[in-house]
Amino acid sequence: MDPKSQNFVAVVVQMIILSVLLFVQSCSDKNSSGSEEGAGQIDISENSKSPAVGGMIVAPGLQNRKVIKPLEDAWRRIDPKKDGWDSEVLSESATKKLKEMAIIIQSAEKLKSSNMDQFADGKYKGSPLRPAVLEPYFNNKEFAVFRGDPDGGNRIPLSTAMDGLVFSFDDSSEIEVEFKLYRINLLKERFSAQVLVHISGPVKGQQIQINSEWNTFWTLSEEDPKLLDIEVLSFEEVRRLGQRSEKLFADVTSSVFGDESAYREQFLRSTDHWRSRIARDFGLDVVANHGMALGDVNGDGLDDLYVCQQGGLPNRLFIRSPEGNLKDITAESNTGWIDYCASALILDFDNDGDRDLAISQDFKILFMDNLGDAKFELALGLGTHAQTFSITASDYDNDGDLDLFLCGYNPPAGYEGESGVMGEPMPYHDARNGGKNKLLRNDGNWNFTEVTKEVGLDHNNDRFSFAASWEDYDRDGDPDLYVANDYGRNNLYQNNSGKFVDVSQELGVQDMSAGMSVSWGDYNRDGLFDLYVSNMFSSAGNRITYQRQFKSGAESVQIEDFRRHARGNSLFEGVSGNPFRDVSETTNVTMGRWAWGSRFADIDNDGWLDLLVANGFITSPDPGDL
């Protein structure tokens, strides 16, 4: 199989990560050798004076640096013009036009003074972008949702259509507008592109959000495409009921932390800030996979906060006051670990009535005993089989104490496996060269025994596990375990009286994708547990995997696996006595962007579970940052 096409989707989906890796590698080569010269490196400055895609800098500072030999092919394929991917060239050009349009639409004043028809071809024949009739679809005490069928009759200029789309928003306020192009199709003399549309802002004191999807048609031009038509595929308007100018949630972070120096001097600093000040030996992670834990550590009935930080920065423990403020007690609590820590739990592991602390520290797990009044001492430290990204606890054997499951992600250095370049997952969409997970049985008195193999959790234990969650989904009295794995299939381990069997395939919840979190809940109130898994919606992956040149020699099943990998989040509905039902697309919950975390929660107190999805990626002040 053509290795060029085989690896392309990994490159485009991870373009951001790649640019960061290239920069880190170039810096480390210089720091370690005292020179930029070295074996196995290529000079990228000769053929690319400005490392950019579509004119945008994708890796600032790399103009005159070297790239290690294994990354040479990936580097040269970042620019779609040089790699033969016409669809991506057209996508970048159309996206640029859409962004220019979004800037104009944000302000009523700009929209009135700008010529929106500049983006349309003389033959443009689009219909209205907002349906004339909106029908009620859903409402409760907080929200009302309206939907409408597209108006396919009248043909109007683009400027008129845009005016009609946003006319109801208050003129005095800027609205938020985002267009995301996620599918492209090359036609004979034009190309089409499917676009997700999100517009939100105030309307007479109410907050309104428009969710729509368009199929846009463009002239076939790489440099200056013009719109020929916009076909509205769906339209939805969400209204916050009542005359409410305030948002449903208010950001109180600053007021809660107040004058705490750790918040001002550490939490508010960017990853790039610390990368230029902390030695790499401390375990600084450019992706910043660090979590936090909530729990009452001083017995006052209020949840306190423990925050894991970058390697080289101390973890922090904050006590919550009755007034809601947070006080930093890290020093006196003895919890300020300065090593790389990814996650933590605040739970009573020794059954003495107070909450203890478990911390995943790189390739170790630390247990800290609460001595009372939020003062801790190290009770136990154990090695792990992999770099542990997250930990979760449950009494899997029903013996009255909490056991601990460790999600292993990266295997140890020097791990003998088909790890590929720089230990990357292989194959990208179904990797089986990840670190091993570990189950620790709590035997009391701070004695923990690894029982991973003994209980059957060594089966399919070779993936990049990001998160896990316990729930007795089969209602037989013992907790079962779902494991969300990055780069491939997930696991559902059914607990049969302390012995586990992976039933993910037979129950239809393998969910081959970029698994990063999992949450259990009964979303439809039928008494059965449902399952929501956050993955990664990749607009690049959605575009590329539907092109004819993508893996042209592969079987259709494998291509569908790649497409599934880029689809986004998944919702599986529990069905009594049968496999789970994948209702992700019918319930419209796939598009969660780059979704690191998710949670079922009734945020509007109407008795129905809603979904919260945390998403995004690192950024920096650099204007060339992706």
Side-chain angles (χ1 to χ4, degrees), residues 160-407:
T160 304
M162 287 297 176
D163 285 336
L165 178 63
V166 298
F167 79 96
S168 61
F169 289 99
D170 296 347
D171 289 348
S172 59
S173 303
E174 282 206 352
I175 60 177
E176 296 183 6
V177 181
E178 182 186 13
F179 299 132
K180 178 177 278 293
L181 192 159
Y182 77 97
R183 188 72 54 76
I184 194 165
N185 185 26
L186 299 179
L187 305 173
K188 186 176 181 180
E189 296 180 350
R190 58 180 180 166
F191 70 94
S192 65
Q194 287 178 240
V195 178
L196 296 176
V197 180
H198 298 284
I199 304 174
S200 60
V203 177
K204 298 179 180 179
Q206 289 185 335
Q207 287 293 319
I208 304 295
Q209 178 174 308
I210 293 174
N211 305 313
S212 186
E213 185 174 1
W214 299 343
N215 193 19
T216 60
F217 295 86
W218 304 77
T219 59
L220 199 58
S221 169
E222 293 184 359
E223 301 299 331
D224 188 27
K226 298 288 187 180
L227 278 165
L228 291 164
D229 188 10
I230 299 180
E231 176 187 3
V232 179
L233 302 177
S234 65
F235 187 94
E236 175 184 85
E237 183 174 285
V238 183
R239 302 175 187 174
R240 177 88 189 280
L241 298 179
Q243 296 297 320
R244 304 176 182 180
S245 58
E246 74 278 7
K247 296 182 179 179
L248 187 63
F249 290 93
D251 185 354
V252 297
T253 312
S254 179
S255 61
V256 166
F257 279 105
D259 293 329
E260 288 293 342
S261 61
Y263 170 68
R264 297 193 319 272
E265 298 172 9
Q266 294 181 13
F267 293 179
L268 294 183
R269 304 289 189 181
S270 69
T271 299
D272 282 348
H273 174 88
W274 295 116
R275 284 177 60 199
S276 64
R277 290 164 173 81
I278 297 178
R280 187 173 61 171
D281 295 342
F282 280 104
L284 191 68
D285 180 9
V286 296
V287 185
N289 289 314
H290 304 279
M292 61 183 67
L294 291 172
D296 180 12
V297 299
N298 60 352
D300 64 355
L302 301 174
D303 278 340
D304 308 304
L305 176 66
Y306 188 72
V307 181
C308 296
Q309 290 211 79
Q310 291 273 17
L313 297 173
N315 294 350
R316 294 288 180 178
L317 178 60
F318 297 90
I319 294 294
R320 181 184 170 196
S321 72
E323 295 75 28
N325 297 325
L326 294 174
K327 178 184 178 182
D328 188 352
I329 64 161
T330 304
E332 53 264 44
S333 67
N334 193 35
T335 58
W337 295 96
I338 202 169
D339 305 83
Y340 175 97
C341 297
S343 61
L345 290 176
I346 298 176
L347 293 168
D348 185 5
F349 289 101
D350 58 358
N351 285 344
D352 65 351
D354 54 25
R355 302 285 183 93
D356 309 302
L357 186 60
I359 308 168
S360 67
Q361 189 187 87
D362 211 7
F363 286 84
K364 299 185 289 294
I365 183 74
L366 307 177
F367 291 94
M368 301 199 73
D369 185 11
N370 191 340
L371 305 178
D373 198 25
K375 294 196 168 43
F376 294 82
E377 72 173 7
L378 182 63
L380 180 66
L382 297 172
T384 60
H385 299 307
Q387 187 180 38
T388 302
F389 269 12
S390 64
I391 53 181
T392 183
S394 182
D395 184 9
Y396 86 92
D397 51 3
N398 289 331
D399 66 349
D401 50 28
L402 289 172
D403 312 296
L404 201 65
F405 184 77
L406 317 178
C407 288

Side-chain angles (χ1 to χ4, degrees), residues 138 140-143 248-249 519-523 525 599-612:
F138 166 85
N140 60 15
K141 63 181 181 180
E142 291 286 349
F143 299 100
L248 187 63
F249 290 93
S519 182
W520 294 93
D522 184 9
Y523 88 93
R525 302 200 306 193
R599 181 69 60 187
F600 279 111
D602 182 9
I603 62 172
D604 52 2
N605 293 321
D606 67 348
W608 293 87
L609 289 178
D610 309 300
L611 282 169
L612 298 174

Side-chain angles (χ1 to χ4, degrees), residues 90-107:
L90 295 171
S91 170
E92 289 174 5
S93 299
T95 296
K96 182 180 179 181
K97 296 289 185 180
L98 290 169
K99 287 183 177 180
E100 293 174 0
M101 292 167 61
I103 293 173
I104 295 174
I105 299 170
Q106 286 174 352
S107 167

